Amino acid sequence: MSGTILLTGGAGYIGSHTYVALKRAGYEVVILDNFANARDDVPDRLEVITGAPVTLHRADVLDKAAVAEVFRAHKIDAVVHFAAKKAVGESQKIPLEYIETNCTGLVNLLMAMRDAGVFKIVFSSSATVYAETEDWPIPESAPLGYASTYALTKLMGEQIITQAAGSDDRWRHGILRYFNPAGAHDSALIGEDPQDIPNNLMPYIAKVAVGELPELNIFGNDYPTPDGTGVRDYIHVMDLAEGHVKSLDALMAGGDSHIVNLGTGKGYSVMDMLASYSRACGRDLPYKVTPRRAGDLACYYGDPSKARALLGWEVARDLDDMCQTSWNWISRRSNMRAG
Ligand code: UDP
């Protein structure tokens, strides 16, 4: 496919991997990122991976003038929108900031798109938009709800887009609800790189593996799961990135708006993750079992069959690939900082 894509949040974890996948698929890409949660050297690394210069606007989605300027400077054909705040715990502490960035930022973007005559958007949503359920795997038709301000902003984001679409039939959207992204690009030049102590399992294990944190705290081993630890649907970030390309390809080819899960349909436990990561880094990683984390569910995994049927998207990588590429990236990054 060809066309010029505005990629907001393109220097972040999933955004940077999607940049690589979009370029490989033949798209021109313009990144808009404020680097609030991205390292300054990501664009240079994207240039090394893709062998081409990166077009970057360093700006905030809340800056309406800067967003409009991107559409004046480039002939944009479609938008892939990642720029958002994403920490569930933090969203409970600063809900208004989350609503401002994630919802007002989206509205600014949609208005700039409309004013520039651009009506195709792929939106980074989340499986947190599903109401609590015991019915796994979760299909897209499952009841919606939210248990955090973060989840609320993603649910509102979906609704803001569908409301806009209802007013003008030129709009086409791909709303992608992802499960738990993990892993890194094969080059080990980009990956997840949290600046603080991570809340999520994979980046936490990665920091234990490189010795930046002493041990993993396993939040409960008395859940009704095969080994008692929490089960989630981890998906390789490059599979996720390729899901965005498939969604965009469908919209660019004149396809209909869609809402799909991007997950593997398989659940892995905390112990499965730890075992796979231990294999990847070549040593048994230390852990201790602590009480359950408030609000955690025993099990959470998605039904990806709609994405397969509609977009022809399927995951190509497994849990060991996620852990191995995460380890390759984190150990290299850690050595570079130390050196
Ligand atoms: N988890 C854990 N220790 C950690 C972080 C997470 O045991 O330091 C567990 C958590 O209880 C859950 C799974 O790992 O069962 C995934 O947690 P994460 O926060 O990564 O994703 P989410 O719960 O938001 O799906």
PDB file of all heavy atoms in Angstrom, residues 11-42:
ATOM      1  N   ALA A  11       7.110   7.700  18.664  1.00  0.00           N
ATOM      2  CA  ALA A  11       8.397   7.417  19.310  1.00  0.00           C
ATOM      3  C   ALA A  11       8.221   6.528  20.541  1.00  0.00           C
ATOM      4  O   ALA A  11       9.198   6.146  21.188  1.00  0.00           O
ATOM      5  CB  ALA A  11       9.094   8.726  19.705  1.00  0.00           C
ATOM      6  N   GLY A  12       6.975   6.202  20.877  1.00  0.00           N
ATOM      7  CA  GLY A  12       6.713   5.374  22.058  1.00  0.00           C
ATOM      8  C   GLY A  12       6.911   3.886  21.771  1.00  0.00           C
ATOM      9  O   GLY A  12       7.365   3.508  20.695  1.00  0.00           O
ATOM     10  N   TYR A  13       6.542   3.083  22.747  1.00  0.00           N
ATOM     11  CA  TYR A  13       6.808   1.640  22.641  1.00  0.00           C
ATOM     12  C   TYR A  13       6.074   1.008  21.447  1.00  0.00           C
ATOM     13  O   TYR A  13       6.708   0.547  20.490  1.00  0.00           O
ATOM     14  CB  TYR A  13       6.415   0.976  23.960  1.00  0.00           C
ATOM     15  CG  TYR A  13       6.478  -0.541  23.971  1.00  0.00           C
ATOM     16  CD1 TYR A  13       7.535  -1.224  23.372  1.00  0.00           C
ATOM     17  CD2 TYR A  13       5.490  -1.285  24.608  1.00  0.00           C
ATOM     18  CE1 TYR A  13       7.586  -2.613  23.405  1.00  0.00           C
ATOM     19  CE2 TYR A  13       5.536  -2.659  24.649  1.00  0.00           C
ATOM     20  CZ  TYR A  13       6.578  -3.328  24.038  1.00  0.00           C
ATOM     21  OH  TYR A  13       6.626  -4.696  24.072  1.00  0.00           O
ATOM     22  N   ILE A  14       4.759   1.033  21.457  1.00  0.00           N
ATOM     23  CA  ILE A  14       4.043   0.385  20.352  1.00  0.00           C
ATOM     24  C   ILE A  14       4.152   1.241  19.093  1.00  0.00           C
ATOM     25  O   ILE A  14       4.292   0.727  17.978  1.00  0.00           O
ATOM     26  CB  ILE A  14       2.568   0.122  20.721  1.00  0.00           C
ATOM     27  CG1 ILE A  14       2.495  -0.654  22.042  1.00  0.00           C
ATOM     28  CG2 ILE A  14       1.874  -0.685  19.627  1.00  0.00           C
ATOM     29  CD1 ILE A  14       1.100  -0.843  22.572  1.00  0.00           C
ATOM     30  N   GLY A  15       4.155   2.571  19.269  1.00  0.00           N
ATOM     31  CA  GLY A  15       4.238   3.476  18.120  1.00  0.00           C
ATOM     32  C   GLY A  15       5.511   3.265  17.309  1.00  0.00           C
ATOM     33  O   GLY A  15       5.475   3.260  16.070  1.00  0.00           O
ATOM     34  N   SER A  16       6.644   3.092  17.973  1.00  0.00           N
ATOM     35  CA  SER A  16       7.912   2.954  17.241  1.00  0.00           C
ATOM     36  C   SER A  16       7.933   1.634  16.464  1.00  0.00           C
ATOM     37  O   SER A  16       8.432   1.569  15.336  1.00  0.00           O
ATOM     38  CB  SER A  16       9.114   3.055  18.190  1.00  0.00           C
ATOM     39  OG  SER A  16       9.046   2.058  19.185  1.00  0.00           O
ATOM     40  N   HIS A  17       7.399   0.580  17.048  1.00  0.00           N
ATOM     41  CA  HIS A  17       7.339  -0.699  16.329  1.00  0.00           C
ATOM     42  C   HIS A  17       6.361  -0.612  15.152  1.00  0.00           C
ATOM     43  O   HIS A  17       6.599  -1.190  14.087  1.00  0.00           O
ATOM     44  CB  HIS A  17       6.959  -1.835  17.285  1.00  0.00           C
ATOM     45  CG  HIS A  17       8.047  -2.155  18.269  1.00  0.00           C
ATOM     46  ND1 HIS A  17       8.287  -1.377  19.383  1.00  0.00           N
ATOM     47  CD2 HIS A  17       8.997  -3.120  18.280  1.00  0.00           C
ATOM     48  CE1 HIS A  17       9.321  -1.876  20.046  1.00  0.00           C
ATOM     49  NE2 HIS A  17       9.774  -2.938  19.401  1.00  0.00           N
ATOM     50  N   THR A  18       5.294   0.143  15.342  1.00  0.00           N
ATOM     51  CA  THR A  18       4.338   0.321  14.240  1.00  0.00           C
ATOM     52  C   THR A  18       4.965   1.158  13.125  1.00  0.00           C
ATOM     53  O   THR A  18       4.698   0.922  11.939  1.00  0.00           O
ATOM     54  CB  THR A  18       3.032   0.944  14.782  1.00  0.00           C
ATOM     55  OG1 THR A  18       2.501   0.066  15.777  1.00  0.00           O
ATOM     56  CG2 THR A  18       2.005   1.147  13.684  1.00  0.00           C
ATOM     57  N   TYR A  19       5.809   2.108  13.504  1.00  0.00           N
ATOM     58  CA  TYR A  19       6.534   2.885  12.481  1.00  0.00           C
ATOM     59  C   TYR A  19       7.297   1.935  11.556  1.00  0.00           C
ATOM     60  O   TYR A  19       7.211   2.031  10.332  1.00  0.00           O
ATOM     61  CB  TYR A  19       7.512   3.861  13.161  1.00  0.00           C
ATOM     62  CG  TYR A  19       8.335   4.662  12.180  1.00  0.00           C
ATOM     63  CD1 TYR A  19       7.879   5.877  11.678  1.00  0.00           C
ATOM     64  CD2 TYR A  19       9.579   4.194  11.726  1.00  0.00           C
ATOM     65  CE1 TYR A  19       8.610   6.605  10.755  1.00  0.00           C
ATOM     66  CE2 TYR A  19      10.322   4.911  10.800  1.00  0.00           C
ATOM     67  CZ  TYR A  19       9.834   6.119  10.323  1.00  0.00           C
ATOM     68  OH  TYR A  19      10.566   6.831   9.402  1.00  0.00           O
ATOM     69  N   VAL A  20       8.029   1.013  12.157  1.00  0.00           N
ATOM     70  CA  VAL A  20       8.835   0.072  11.367  1.00  0.00           C
ATOM     71  C   VAL A  20       7.933  -0.773  10.463  1.00  0.00           C
ATOM     72  O   VAL A  20       8.216  -0.961   9.272  1.00  0.00           O
ATOM     73  CB  VAL A  20       9.680  -0.833  12.306  1.00  0.00           C
ATOM     74  CG1 VAL A  20      10.421  -1.899  11.508  1.00  0.00           C
ATOM     75  CG2 VAL A  20      10.653   0.012  13.124  1.00  0.00           C
ATOM     76  N   ALA A  21       6.827  -1.247  11.019  1.00  0.00           N
ATOM     77  CA  ALA A  21       5.916  -2.095  10.227  1.00  0.00           C
ATOM     78  C   ALA A  21       5.271  -1.298   9.086  1.00  0.00           C
ATOM     79  O   ALA A  21       5.097  -1.819   7.978  1.00  0.00           O
ATOM     80  CB  ALA A  21       4.841  -2.698  11.142  1.00  0.00           C
ATOM     81  N   LEU A  22       4.913  -0.045   9.347  1.00  0.00           N
ATOM     82  CA  LEU A  22       4.303   0.790   8.294  1.00  0.00           C
ATOM     83  C   LEU A  22       5.294   1.056   7.168  1.00  0.00           C
ATOM     84  O   LEU A  22       4.947   0.987   5.984  1.00  0.00           O
ATOM     85  CB  LEU A  22       3.836   2.131   8.884  1.00  0.00           C
ATOM     86  CG  LEU A  22       2.581   2.094   9.760  1.00  0.00           C
ATOM     87  CD1 LEU A  22       2.404   3.426  10.489  1.00  0.00           C
ATOM     88  CD2 LEU A  22       1.340   1.792   8.911  1.00  0.00           C
ATOM     89  N   LYS A  23       6.537   1.372   7.547  1.00  0.00           N
ATOM     90  CA  LYS A  23       7.557   1.643   6.518  1.00  0.00           C
ATOM     91  C   LYS A  23       7.783   0.396   5.672  1.00  0.00           C
ATOM     92  O   LYS A  23       7.904   0.465   4.458  1.00  0.00           O
ATOM     93  CB  LYS A  23       8.877   2.092   7.175  1.00  0.00           C
ATOM     94  CG  LYS A  23       8.818   3.471   7.806  1.00  0.00           C
ATOM     95  CD  LYS A  23       8.740   4.596   6.793  1.00  0.00           C
ATOM     96  CE  LYS A  23      10.085   4.867   6.149  1.00  0.00           C
ATOM     97  NZ  LYS A  23       9.986   6.019   5.222  1.00  0.00           N
ATOM     98  N   ARG A  24       7.855  -0.747   6.367  1.00  0.00           N
ATOM     99  CA  ARG A  24       8.110  -1.993   5.637  1.00  0.00           C
ATOM    100  C   ARG A  24       6.960  -2.301   4.671  1.00  0.00           C
ATOM    101  O   ARG A  24       7.158  -2.881   3.611  1.00  0.00           O
ATOM    102  CB  ARG A  24       8.299  -3.144   6.623  1.00  0.00           C
ATOM    103  CG  ARG A  24       9.043  -4.315   5.994  1.00  0.00           C
ATOM    104  CD  ARG A  24       9.413  -5.357   6.993  1.00  0.00           C
ATOM    105  NE  ARG A  24       8.262  -5.714   7.804  1.00  0.00           N
ATOM    106  CZ  ARG A  24       8.326  -6.220   9.021  1.00  0.00           C
ATOM    107  NH1 ARG A  24       9.489  -6.411   9.599  1.00  0.00           N
ATOM    108  NH2 ARG A  24       7.240  -6.535   9.693  1.00  0.00           N
ATOM    109  N   ALA A  25       5.757  -1.878   5.048  1.00  0.00           N
ATOM    110  CA  ALA A  25       4.597  -2.124   4.180  1.00  0.00           C
ATOM    111  C   ALA A  25       4.515  -1.134   3.028  1.00  0.00           C
ATOM    112  O   ALA A  25       3.640  -1.255   2.173  1.00  0.00           O
ATOM    113  CB  ALA A  25       3.317  -2.065   5.019  1.00  0.00           C
ATOM    114  N   GLY A  26       5.401  -0.122   3.017  1.00  0.00           N
ATOM    115  CA  GLY A  26       5.444   0.793   1.880  1.00  0.00           C
ATOM    116  C   GLY A  26       4.852   2.171   2.120  1.00  0.00           C
ATOM    117  O   GLY A  26       4.787   2.990   1.199  1.00  0.00           O
ATOM    118  N   TYR A  27       4.426   2.444   3.342  1.00  0.00           N
ATOM    119  CA  TYR A  27       3.851   3.759   3.640  1.00  0.00           C
ATOM    120  C   TYR A  27       4.945   4.796   3.927  1.00  0.00           C
ATOM    121  O   TYR A  27       6.021   4.446   4.437  1.00  0.00           O
ATOM    122  CB  TYR A  27       2.939   3.675   4.877  1.00  0.00           C
ATOM    123  CG  TYR A  27       1.660   2.920   4.638  1.00  0.00           C
ATOM    124  CD1 TYR A  27       1.496   1.620   5.112  1.00  0.00           C
ATOM    125  CD2 TYR A  27       0.608   3.498   3.932  1.00  0.00           C
ATOM    126  CE1 TYR A  27       0.314   0.918   4.900  1.00  0.00           C
ATOM    127  CE2 TYR A  27      -0.575   2.801   3.708  1.00  0.00           C
ATOM    128  CZ  TYR A  27      -0.719   1.524   4.191  1.00  0.00           C
ATOM    129  OH  TYR A  27      -1.884   0.825   3.969  1.00  0.00           O
ATOM    130  N   GLU A  28       4.631   6.057   3.612  1.00  0.00           N
ATOM    131  CA  GLU A  28       5.418   7.175   4.124  1.00  0.00           C
ATOM    132  C   GLU A  28       4.829   7.513   5.492  1.00  0.00           C
ATOM    133  O   GLU A  28       3.603   7.448   5.671  1.00  0.00           O
ATOM    134  CB  GLU A  28       5.286   8.404   3.212  1.00  0.00           C
ATOM    135  CG  GLU A  28       5.960   8.239   1.862  1.00  0.00           C
ATOM    136  CD  GLU A  28       7.439   7.916   2.022  1.00  0.00           C
ATOM    137  OE1 GLU A  28       8.104   8.599   2.820  1.00  0.00           O
ATOM    138  OE2 GLU A  28       7.913   6.965   1.385  1.00  0.00           O
ATOM    139  N   VAL A  29       5.676   7.876   6.447  1.00  0.00           N
ATOM    140  CA  VAL A  29       5.166   8.103   7.803  1.00  0.00           C
ATOM    141  C   VAL A  29       5.694   9.422   8.357  1.00  0.00           C
ATOM    142  O   VAL A  29       6.888   9.718   8.238  1.00  0.00           O
ATOM    143  CB  VAL A  29       5.578   6.952   8.761  1.00  0.00           C
ATOM    144  CG1 VAL A  29       4.915   7.140  10.123  1.00  0.00           C
ATOM    145  CG2 VAL A  29       5.210   5.588   8.181  1.00  0.00           C
ATOM    146  N   VAL A  30       4.804  10.201   8.948  1.00  0.00           N
ATOM    147  CA  VAL A  30       5.169  11.426   9.656  1.00  0.00           C
ATOM    148  C   VAL A  30       4.848  11.186  11.125  1.00  0.00           C
ATOM    149  O   VAL A  30       3.716  10.830  11.464  1.00  0.00           O
ATOM    150  CB  VAL A  30       4.337  12.620   9.130  1.00  0.00           C
ATOM    151  CG1 VAL A  30       4.623  13.876   9.947  1.00  0.00           C
ATOM    152  CG2 VAL A  30       4.596  12.849   7.643  1.00  0.00           C
ATOM    153  N   ILE A  31       5.851  11.362  11.990  1.00  0.00           N
ATOM    154  CA  ILE A  31       5.620  11.138  13.423  1.00  0.00           C
ATOM    155  C   ILE A  31       5.300  12.462  14.112  1.00  0.00           C
ATOM    156  O   ILE A  31       5.960  13.476  13.864  1.00  0.00           O
ATOM    157  CB  ILE A  31       6.876  10.527  14.086  1.00  0.00           C
ATOM    158  CG1 ILE A  31       7.124   9.110  13.565  1.00  0.00           C
ATOM    159  CG2 ILE A  31       6.754  10.530  15.607  1.00  0.00           C
ATOM    160  CD1 ILE A  31       8.377   8.447  14.152  1.00  0.00           C
ATOM    161  N   LEU A  32       4.303  12.428  14.987  1.00  0.00           N
ATOM    162  CA  LEU A  32       4.072  13.530  15.918  1.00  0.00           C
ATOM    163  C   LEU A  32       4.190  12.952  17.320  1.00  0.00           C
ATOM    164  O   LEU A  32       3.494  11.983  17.646  1.00  0.00           O
ATOM    165  CB  LEU A  32       2.687  14.146  15.703  1.00  0.00           C
ATOM    166  CG  LEU A  32       2.338  15.309  16.641  1.00  0.00           C
ATOM    167  CD1 LEU A  32       1.627  16.419  15.872  1.00  0.00           C
ATOM    168  CD2 LEU A  32       1.468  14.872  17.804  1.00  0.00           C
ATOM    169  N   ASP A  33       5.106  13.491  18.112  1.00  0.00           N
ATOM    170  CA  ASP A  33       5.325  12.958  19.461  1.00  0.00           C
ATOM    171  C   ASP A  33       5.852  14.081  20.341  1.00  0.00           C
ATOM    172  O   ASP A  33       6.652  14.899  19.874  1.00  0.00           O
ATOM    173  CB  ASP A  33       6.339  11.790  19.405  1.00  0.00           C
ATOM    174  CG  ASP A  33       6.206  10.851  20.594  1.00  0.00           C
ATOM    175  OD1 ASP A  33       6.377  11.329  21.733  1.00  0.00           O
ATOM    176  OD2 ASP A  33       5.935   9.655  20.394  1.00  0.00           O
ATOM    177  N   ASN A  34       5.415  14.110  21.606  1.00  0.00           N
ATOM    178  CA  ASN A  34       5.957  15.138  22.518  1.00  0.00           C
ATOM    179  C   ASN A  34       7.078  14.580  23.411  1.00  0.00           C
ATOM    180  O   ASN A  34       7.596  15.283  24.263  1.00  0.00           O
ATOM    181  CB  ASN A  34       4.849  15.758  23.374  1.00  0.00           C
ATOM    182  CG  ASN A  34       4.295  14.765  24.390  1.00  0.00           C
ATOM    183  OD1 ASN A  34       4.643  13.584  24.372  1.00  0.00           O
ATOM    184  ND2 ASN A  34       3.428  15.243  25.270  1.00  0.00           N
ATOM    185  N   PHE A  35       7.409  13.320  23.231  1.00  0.00           N
ATOM    186  CA  PHE A  35       8.487  12.657  23.977  1.00  0.00           C
ATOM    187  C   PHE A  35       8.257  12.664  25.494  1.00  0.00           C
ATOM    188  O   PHE A  35       9.203  12.545  26.261  1.00  0.00           O
ATOM    189  CB  PHE A  35       9.872  13.246  23.615  1.00  0.00           C
ATOM    190  CG  PHE A  35      10.279  12.852  22.225  1.00  0.00           C
ATOM    191  CD1 PHE A  35       9.759  13.527  21.119  1.00  0.00           C
ATOM    192  CD2 PHE A  35      11.136  11.782  22.015  1.00  0.00           C
ATOM    193  CE1 PHE A  35      10.092  13.135  19.823  1.00  0.00           C
ATOM    194  CE2 PHE A  35      11.479  11.383  20.732  1.00  0.00           C
ATOM    195  CZ  PHE A  35      10.946  12.064  19.635  1.00  0.00           C
ATOM    196  N   ALA A  36       6.981  12.763  25.905  1.00  0.00           N
ATOM    197  CA  ALA A  36       6.689  12.717  27.340  1.00  0.00           C
ATOM    198  C   ALA A  36       7.047  11.345  27.907  1.00  0.00           C
ATOM    199  O   ALA A  36       7.435  11.236  29.066  1.00  0.00           O
ATOM    200  CB  ALA A  36       5.206  13.004  27.579  1.00  0.00           C
ATOM    201  N   ASN A  37       6.909  10.308  27.103  1.00  0.00           N
ATOM    202  CA  ASN A  37       7.234   8.957  27.587  1.00  0.00           C
ATOM    203  C   ASN A  37       7.993   8.197  26.503  1.00  0.00           C
ATOM    204  O   ASN A  37       7.678   7.053  26.188  1.00  0.00           O
ATOM    205  CB  ASN A  37       5.936   8.222  27.978  1.00  0.00           C
ATOM    206  CG  ASN A  37       6.221   6.940  28.715  1.00  0.00           C
ATOM    207  OD1 ASN A  37       7.286   6.778  29.331  1.00  0.00           O
ATOM    208  ND2 ASN A  37       5.289   6.011  28.654  1.00  0.00           N
ATOM    209  N   ALA A  38       8.974   8.910  25.903  1.00  0.00           N
ATOM    210  CA  ALA A  38       9.800   8.277  24.864  1.00  0.00           C
ATOM    211  C   ALA A  38      11.207   8.860  24.967  1.00  0.00           C
ATOM    212  O   ALA A  38      11.386   9.996  25.401  1.00  0.00           O
ATOM    213  CB  ALA A  38       9.221   8.565  23.483  1.00  0.00           C
ATOM    214  N   ARG A  39      12.180   8.057  24.599  1.00  0.00           N
ATOM    215  CA  ARG A  39      13.569   8.532  24.650  1.00  0.00           C
ATOM    216  C   ARG A  39      13.908   9.322  23.390  1.00  0.00           C
ATOM    217  O   ARG A  39      13.425   9.007  22.301  1.00  0.00           O
ATOM    218  CB  ARG A  39      14.523   7.340  24.757  1.00  0.00           C
ATOM    219  CG  ARG A  39      14.195   6.412  25.905  1.00  0.00           C
ATOM    220  CD  ARG A  39      14.975   6.748  27.144  1.00  0.00           C
ATOM    221  NE  ARG A  39      14.649   5.776  28.189  1.00  0.00           N
ATOM    222  CZ  ARG A  39      15.055   5.874  29.443  1.00  0.00           C
ATOM    223  NH1 ARG A  39      15.778   6.901  29.844  1.00  0.00           N
ATOM    224  NH2 ARG A  39      14.724   4.949  30.323  1.00  0.00           N
ATOM    225  N   ASP A  40      14.786  10.305  23.572  1.00  0.00           N
ATOM    226  CA  ASP A  40      15.148  11.199  22.465  1.00  0.00           C
ATOM    227  C   ASP A  40      15.831  10.480  21.304  1.00  0.00           C
ATOM    228  O   ASP A  40      15.815  10.976  20.184  1.00  0.00           O
ATOM    229  CB  ASP A  40      16.091  12.299  22.969  1.00  0.00           C
ATOM    230  CG  ASP A  40      15.317  13.339  23.756  1.00  0.00           C
ATOM    231  OD1 ASP A  40      14.131  13.541  23.442  1.00  0.00           O
ATOM    232  OD2 ASP A  40      15.901  13.930  24.685  1.00  0.00           O
ATOM    233  N   ASP A  41      16.484   9.333  21.601  1.00  0.00           N
ATOM    234  CA  ASP A  41      17.249   8.684  20.533  1.00  0.00           C
ATOM    235  C   ASP A  41      16.406   7.708  19.689  1.00  0.00           C
ATOM    236  O   ASP A  41      16.925   7.087  18.760  1.00  0.00           O
ATOM    237  CB  ASP A  41      18.485   7.964  21.101  1.00  0.00           C
ATOM    238  CG  ASP A  41      18.127   6.894  22.121  1.00  0.00           C
ATOM    239  OD1 ASP A  41      16.921   6.695  22.375  1.00  0.00           O
ATOM    240  OD2 ASP A  41      19.048   6.265  22.661  1.00  0.00           O
ATOM    241  N   VAL A  42      15.111   7.601  19.976  1.00  0.00           N
ATOM    242  CA  VAL A  42      14.280   6.658  19.210  1.00  0.00           C
ATOM    243  C   VAL A  42      14.272   6.997  17.704  1.00  0.00           C
ATOM    244  O   VAL A  42      14.458   6.102  16.871  1.00  0.00           O
ATOM    245  CB  VAL A  42      12.853   6.558  19.796  1.00  0.00           C
ATOM    246  CG1 VAL A  42      11.908   5.798  18.861  1.00  0.00           C
ATOM    247  CG2 VAL A  42      12.902   5.875  21.160  1.00  0.00           C
TER     248      VAL A  42
END
